[in-house]
Amino acid sequence: MLFCVGLYGVLRKRNIIKMIVGLGIMEYAMNLFFVLLGYRFHGRAPIDAKYQDILNMVDPLPQALVLTSIVIGLAVTALIISIAIRIYEKYGTFDITKIKKLKG
Amino acid sequence: MELYILLIFMICAAIVAIEVKDLLSSVIAVGAVGFALCLAFLILKAPDLAITQLVVEILCLIILIRATINKDLPLVIEGRWIFNTFSTLGFIAVFLLFSWLALKELPGFGEPIMAVVKKYLQEGVSKTGSVNIVTAVILDFRAYDTLGEATVLFTAVIGIMAILRRPGRKK
Amino acid sequence: MRQIEAFEGTHEIASGASRPRNDIYMIDNPKTGMTLIVKTITRLTVGLIMLFGIYIILHGHLSPGGGFAGGVIVALSFVHLMLAFGKDVAAARISKNMASNLESIGAMMFLFVALLGFLGGSFFLNVLNKGNPFNLFSAGTILLSNISIGIKVGVGLFAIFLALVILEKSSKKEL
């Protein structure tokens, strides 16, 4: 459901910052979806303790993948923001219908 | 039960983040969505993810505020507005239909199929000696992925340094 | 300079009214950085934040955390220092060249730890000794991997922030 809101933001809005916000929301939705896949009712966190049994844990494999994905998402957002700063310096506006000249 | 309340809050905050005309308010709304996501990770019993998501959210907010400060927002609604809205809604409807068809194949919520992870869980502590199973997975069983992620971060840092460099003499 | 002052302006409104300032040290220059409240609190808590980040990196195999979250926390401590005191003070400590050098050292250390597994057999094998669990030195190569990833992530993110700040100072002079 969150994914649809993010998708609508990316497709529809014309301001570049709003597009970046929509991309960020889509990424949050995907991470949440992945972690939801591996949930077990009344499970335990995947850290072993001295006196608890093992087979009742939540799935640790999607958590490992999502941990990597969160940090990569930060790197991608930082790159896009830096490109947006460059675009603003060159064109003076954030509206993408005015940024039409591809040369110069 | 608490998960549904958090989900509704996240959807409302996301709609606010996109529809509001002011740039600073939408950045703060994205911060609220990220913070609610961190709480959702805590409810789903994933403490590593909660810590990482919290600090990454703080850095993301700092970078976003750096980009949107003092930049105005001229909002212009041009023609072809009705066609744009309908085509976007049609696209989203097609996407929802296909995703609903695909999501029926997944196992029910709360009973995961742990075919591979059973082996990891049973001999995780004895083979690697680390008590934290998630760290054992990303640093010992699947260390190639961590190497790939280190490469991605390195590339991102090099890319940003190359983009944001002053080119000396600008005419 | 106008953008940095406006940036500080929003933080100043958010962090309370401003008080009369006194210049005891050279760092307390009232023209750069933020108000006195923020500077005092930063001076007290930056060391604690960095210590907390190092703790999370080192205990990555015993309690939740690991290399990534700890590295980001260490980067946040540097960013906090730079936000509160103005960009000249922090840029004098860790310049851009040293930051990129440190990050390359971190990446190469990770590769070195990985290649160490060649002595055992395949690529990434865990070859150092494992003591009994729940000790600090009990997890073989995982400890060294955590430390190297923590250094790499922390310094890399701080280099990104330096690039963002140094750019806008020179860009406002051109326009």
Side-chain angles (χ1 to χ4, degrees):
Chain A
M1 203 42 153
L2 258 181
F3 189 74
C4 292
V5 178
L7 193 61
Y8 173 73
V10 167
L11 285 180
R12 181 78 179 93
K13 288 293 174 175
R14 233 175 269 122
N15 205 3
I16 285 191
I17 297 291
K18 292 288 178 61
M19 282 208 286
I20 295 173
V21 161
L23 208 71
I25 291 183
M26 257 206 291
E27 175 221 333
Y28 287 158
M30 286 323 290
N31 288 342
L32 183 66
F33 178 62
F34 259 116
V35 175
L36 273 177
L37 272 185
Y39 184 59
R40 180 191 288 272
F41 278 141
H42 308 297
R44 271 187 54 246
I47 295 178
D48 207 2
K50 275 205 179 102
Y51 44 85
Q52 316 222 353
D53 56 344
I54 291 185
L55 285 184
N56 208 10
M57 284 187 189
V58 196
D59 206 0
L61 196 59
Q63 290 184 13
L65 300 174
V66 169
L67 183 65
T68 299
S69 152
I70 290 178
V71 184
I72 289 183
L74 171 70
V76 168
T77 307
L79 260 177
I80 288 186
I81 285 280
S82 77
I83 291 182
I85 291 179
R86 271 295 199 203
I87 287 183
Y88 183 73
E89 279 180 10
K90 195 157 177 54
Y91 288 102
T93 176
F94 267 140
D95 208 353
I96 67 169
T97 56
K98 293 197 174 66
I99 305 176
K100 283 188 180 140
K101 310 184 288 203
L102 266 182
K103 307 192 280 189
Chain B
M1 185 54 208
E2 305 95 5
L3 207 59
Y4 286 130
I5 298 180
L6 268 180
L7 267 178
I8 293 179
F9 174 67
M10 274 165 75
I11 292 179
C12 292
I15 292 181
V16 162
I18 290 188
E19 289 294 331
V20 157
K21 286 187 175 37
D22 194 12
L23 278 180
L24 198 58
S25 312
S26 82
V27 169
I28 293 181
V30 168
V33 170
F35 187 62
L37 184 66
C38 171
L39 285 180
F41 279 154
L42 269 182
I43 288 183
L44 289 174
K45 298 190 178 32
D48 296 337
L49 296 180
I51 293 179
T52 309
Q53 164 72 25
L54 189 65
V55 291
V56 161
E57 176 67 29
I58 293 176
L59 265 179
C60 193
L61 274 184
I62 290 181
I63 292 182
L64 271 174
I65 286 187
R66 158 69 186 91
T68 70
I69 196 160
N70 276 350
K71 310 231 171 29
D72 56 348
L73 175 58
L75 190 60
V76 166
I77 296 184
E78 297 187 357
R80 293 174 47 198
W81 183 65
I82 297 186
F83 175 68
N84 274 348
T85 310
F86 276 149
S87 68
T88 309
L89 282 181
F91 187 65
I92 289 184
V94 165
F95 172 72
L96 271 180
L97 175 70
F98 275 114
S99 72
W100 183 69
L101 279 179
L103 284 182
K104 277 199 300 189
E105 302 291 326
L106 288 180
F109 179 66
E111 277 114 40
I113 307 176
M114 312 215 300
V116 179
V117 187
K118 238 187 245 299
K119 196 162 178 305
Y120 284 167
L121 279 181
Q122 273 162 1
E123 54 196 37
V125 182
S126 64
K127 260 199 176 173
T128 65
S130 120
V131 179
N132 194 1
I133 307 281
V134 177
T135 311
V137 167
I138 66 175
L139 281 183
D140 194 17
F141 286 123
R142 309 260 163 143
Y144 266 125
D145 307 337
T146 311
L147 180 68
E149 186 215 344
T151 308
V152 166
L153 271 174
F154 194 60
T155 311
V157 170
I158 287 182
I160 287 189
M161 273 198 191
I163 285 182
L164 292 182
R165 185 187 296 274
R166 271 288 110 191
R169 290 293 118 200
K170 232 177 137 186
K171 53 160 170 46
Chain C
M1 271 324 246
R2 188 173 62 91
Q3 272 194 342
I4 272 281
E5 279 172 12
F7 188 29
E8 293 164 1
T10 37
H11 271 268
E12 195 167 343
I13 292 175
S15 77
S18 66
R19 288 159 60 174
R21 305 166 178 135
N22 42 354
D23 313 352
I24 301 185
Y25 311 98
M26 208 160 56
I27 269 181
D28 273 340
N29 202 0
K31 292 189 191 47
T32 73
M34 295 197 183
T35 69
L36 187 62
I37 300 179
V38 180
K39 278 181 186 165
T40 312
I41 289 187
T42 304
R43 205 177 287 137
L44 286 177
T45 59
V46 152
L48 282 178
I49 293 178
M50 185 178 295
L51 194 65
F52 183 58
I54 295 180
Y55 168 77
I56 283 192
I57 293 179
L58 280 183
H59 285 255
H61 59 284
L62 291 179
S63 74
F68 298 112
V72 174
I73 290 181
V74 167
L76 265 186
S77 89
F78 283 133
V79 165
H80 192 192
L81 194 67
M82 169 182 258
L83 272 184
F85 283 112
K87 57 189 173 312
D88 299 323
V89 173
R93 305 258 172 149
I94 302 185
S95 69
K96 214 152 90 163
N97 287 335
M98 188 160 43
S100 75
N101 282 348
L102 268 179
E103 195 207 351
S104 311
I105 287 179
M108 279 195 289
M109 219 161 74
F110 184 63
L111 275 179
F112 179 64
V113 165
L115 284 178
L116 207 63
F118 264 130
L119 297 180
S122 50
F123 189 31
F124 259 111
L125 201 55
N126 210 347
V127 288
L128 299 185
N129 53 349
K130 313 182 224 318
N132 41 353
F134 298 104
N135 276 351
L136 190 55
F137 283 112
S138 82
T141 36
I142 291 186
L143 185 61
L144 296 175
S145 288
N146 263 340
I147 293 179
S148 69
I149 281 185
I151 291 179
K152 181 186 189 331
V153 168
V155 180
L157 285 176
F158 181 60
I160 288 181
F161 194 70
L162 266 184
L164 277 178
V165 170
I166 289 184
L167 161 79
E168 72 87 27
K169 174 176 98 93
S170 68
S171 87
K172 284 314 276 184
K173 268 196 229 159
E174 302 252 350
L175 288 181

